[in-house]
Amino acid sequence: MPKVDRVSTSSVPRPEPAAPSGPARRPSLPRMARRGVPEGALPALALFAAVRLAGVLLVILTNDLRGHPLVRNLAHSWDSRWYLHIAAHGYGRLIWITPEGAVQSDWAFFPLYPALIRAVTVVLPLTPAQGAMLVGWAAAGVAAHGVFTVGHHLYGRAVATALVALWAALPHAVELTIAYTESLFAALAAWSLYCVLKCRWLWAGVLAALAGLSRPSGFAVAVAVVLAAVHEALRRRGRVPASLWAGAALAPMGWLGYVLWVGDRSGDLLGGYLKVQSAWDSRFDLGAGSLSFLRALLLHGGHVVYPAALLIVAAAVLLFALLCLDRAPLCLVVFAGVLILLVAGGAGSFSSKPRFLLPAFPLLIPMARALARTWRLRRASAVLVYGALAAVSLLYGAYVVAVAHSPL
């Protein structure tokens, strides 16, 4: 195994052995790499697009078979309707009173995604729903590129391709192609983490701040950036550029700014946002809600979505342990770990928890390395395994969007 220079952020990545030599490379690929696009990115992104397009087509086919509008649920499912309303009318105009009497307001939804929808519909002759889909699909492509770039930087082309392929074939990856914030959050998170790995601290902080404006869990990126910056400062005994401290200071500003804005609007600067989220039954309860769900599931059973959600969360915990054993860079471990902590320790609908883990692409690194090795040694086995994963993803995605009535 050749020695690899130490990555300054936290750990020593271990590139996979080079794939067997093939035909001579065309001269365009090195030029592409010099322009900043890693070699092999376009085929990997084409695979990602093909899998996710197949998922969209299967949702449309399922809608057709069930006699439903063909594409409406791609842009009007559950939380999507709140984002569209914010984009069209702004905040403070929509509330919902639950059967239990809780008052749910649109302040629970972070502003970056509806702001982008509004901007797109101002510039282009699109409806808010069409603008939401355009933003979501574009962000999914940017996110896939970021995932590939992180994988390529650490482990090379083969693992990076496998990483993107596995991310496209997650059971809940269908939510990358509906009007939800996961694709936008994943795009900002992936590129912020890449900037950390490349020691571009100011950009890492700016992107982390934007990620904090996209989702309540957006502060996971800020935590990863700040801890990586502190680790780097300690490792270099404080001899770090000013951009490191600037990036670390900027990273939490997006999330913190919106939380304080909601607190100011609600009359409780520090606790207002927590009260808004509590009305949605969204709070951190150290896992009490998850244990209550598990007990109810074991006693009374549940439809397909809930046992599947439990298996996905359990698999994520196992993959996190493997990621730690794999000595992945600190920023990736922290980012994935914070998202798992929020999912396992938070209350709320368990059927939505797999969606919250969707941006945690570092969890797939151990699987991607294994799939890349299998591809080199037993190509037919790799194709069979990935084909099975993709088929499950497409069928499950169509089910949760077009058939099941559980919250996404």
Side-chain angles (χ1 to χ4, degrees):
M1 178 76 70
K3 293 184 178 180
V4 181
D5 292 337
R6 181 180 177 88
V7 173
S8 60
T9 49
S10 69
S11 66
V12 180
R14 295 164 290 167
E16 297 295 323
S21 59
R25 295 175 182 170
R26 292 177 296 178
S28 60
L29 290 178
R31 288 201 299 270
M32 182 184 296
R34 286 197 297 270
R35 289 199 300 269
V37 179
E39 183 179 342
L42 294 182
L45 295 180
L47 175 60
F48 174 85
V51 173
R52 294 312 339 138
L53 179 59
V56 171
L57 293 177
L58 190 56
V59 170
I60 293 173
L61 176 61
T62 305
N63 284 329
D64 184 50
L65 293 175
R66 292 174 58 81
H68 294 165
L70 296 183
V71 297
R72 181 174 175 78
N73 51 14
L74 295 175
H76 294 273
S77 294
W78 298 92
D79 291 355
S80 301
R81 290 169 288 189
W82 290 81
Y83 286 117
L84 294 178
H85 193 276
I86 294 168
H89 305 288
Y91 281 100
R93 297 174 179 268
L94 183 62
I95 65 170
W96 172 260
I97 301 177
T98 69
E100 294 77 21
V103 179
Q104 297 175 339
S105 82
D106 54 13
W107 287 341
F109 298 91
F110 276 54
L112 184 57
Y113 184 50
L116 291 175
I117 297 171
R118 181 64 176 265
V120 166
T121 56
V122 168
V123 174
L124 300 175
L126 300 175
T127 66
Q130 292 167 342
M133 297 304 301
L134 177 61
V135 172
W137 288 7
V142 173
H145 188 196
V147 170
F148 180 89
T149 304
V150 169
H152 190 280
H153 173 72
L154 293 174
Y155 304 105
R157 174 178 177 176
V159 175
T161 301
L163 185 61
V164 171
L166 289 171
W167 195 56
L170 286 175
H172 43 296
V174 67
E175 287 155 1
L176 293 171
T177 46
I178 65 176
Y180 267 51
T181 57
E182 271 61 37
S183 57
L184 178 61
F185 175 42
L188 294 167
W191 284 105
S192 177
L193 295 172
Y194 175 70
C195 288
V196 171
L197 295 172
K198 297 288 287 184
C199 295
R200 298 170 183 168
W201 296 103
L202 194 57
W203 273 111
V206 170
L207 292 170
L210 291 173
L213 287 170
S214 65
R215 284 199 51 74
S217 55
F219 74 89
V221 189
V223 174
V225 171
V226 170
L227 289 184
V230 170
H231 178 272
E232 179 72 355
L234 291 175
R235 191 187 71 83
R236 297 178 57 179
R237 301 180 184 276
R239 294 189 293 271
V240 293
S243 61
L244 181 145
W245 300 117
L250 281 171
M253 289 302 171
W255 185 87
L256 186 61
Y258 182 70
V259 167
L260 292 178
W261 180 82
V262 172
D264 180 66
R265 294 288 297 270
S266 64
D268 183 357
L269 184 64
L270 298 181
Y273 177 75
L274 297 179
K275 292 178 182 177
V276 168
Q277 286 288 2
S278 182
W280 287 83
D281 196 25
S282 178
R283 60 188 180 278
F284 191 77
D285 59 4
L286 298 177
S290 296
L291 291 176
S292 177
F293 162 79
L294 179 59
R295 183 167 53 250
L297 184 64
L298 293 176
L299 290 176
H300 307 293
H303 298 294
V304 174
V305 171
Y306 292 98
L310 180 61
L311 289 175
I312 291 169
V313 173
V317 174
L318 175 60
L319 288 172
F320 179 71
L322 294 176
L323 182 70
C324 294
L325 292 174
D326 210 42
R327 294 189 299 165
L330 177 65
C331 60
L332 302 185
V333 173
V334 171
F335 172 65
V338 171
L339 290 181
I340 287 180
L341 183 63
L342 292 174
V343 165
S349 174
F350 212 91
S351 63
S352 298
K353 291 184 181 291
R355 171 169 65 88
F356 302 154
L357 289 171
L358 184 55
F361 69 91
L363 294 174
L364 299 173
I365 287 175
M367 288 181 62
R369 298 185 69 188
L371 183 61
R373 287 193 294 269
T374 304
W375 174 260
R376 285 193 305 273
L377 300 175
R378 296 182 297 276
R379 187 159 297 189
S381 298
V383 171
L384 181 63
V385 168
Y386 184 73
L389 291 174
V392 170
S393 172
L394 298 180
L395 292 172
Y396 183 75
Y399 177 78
V400 296
V401 172
V403 178
H405 298 288
S406 304
L408 293 175

